[in-house]
Amino acid sequence: MAEQIPNLTAINNDLCDFSSRWSHDGDYMRCRGCKRPQITSCMDMEFPHAASCRVAGVVDPHPWRRYLEIMERLAQAAPRPTGHKESTS
């Protein structure tokens, strides 16, 4: 468990950094700069920032992919609760 703490700290830092630029709103990811949304089903398209967005070209062009990468790392690093059983379905 001790080796998981640095991993979780790095993941927490990545989540905080991510959320300073993006807002997860149901099935939309919103840019905090221009407030434009992107629905989950368009995750492989570049984010459609407003022409006047101050962070366009600076932030990740595929925020959904970045979010999924962070969540996958979190799922792998997170300790399982005692008595947790894997789903068999």
Side-chain angles (χ1 to χ4, degrees):
M1 174 105 158
E3 67 278 354
Q4 288 181 333
I5 300 298
N7 289 338
L8 290 175
T9 299
I11 294 166
N12 288 344
N13 291 340
D14 287 347
L15 277 171
C16 288
D17 185 53
F18 181 88
S19 69
S20 71
R21 294 182 304 279
W22 304 101
S23 174
H24 183 211
D25 180 14
D27 59 348
Y28 288 95
M29 195 66 71
R30 292 187 186 276
C31 172
R32 290 193 184 270
C34 63
K35 310 295 188 234
R36 298 258 334 248
Q38 184 181 48
I39 195 163
T40 312
S41 59
C42 293
M43 72 172 61
D44 288 323
M45 297 173 65
E46 283 200 20
F47 191 87
H49 291 280
S52 62
C53 184
R54 60 183 167 69
V55 297
V58 177
V59 296
D60 238 335
H62 297 93
W64 277 110
R65 288 287 169 202
R66 176 69 177 134
Y67 182 71
L68 288 173
E69 184 268 324
I70 295 169
M71 291 296 100
E72 286 172 1
R73 288 176 36 223
L74 179 60
Q76 291 172 359
R80 300 256 184 219
T82 305
H84 175 78
K85 294 183 180 179
E86 293 292 326
S87 175
T88 57
S89 54

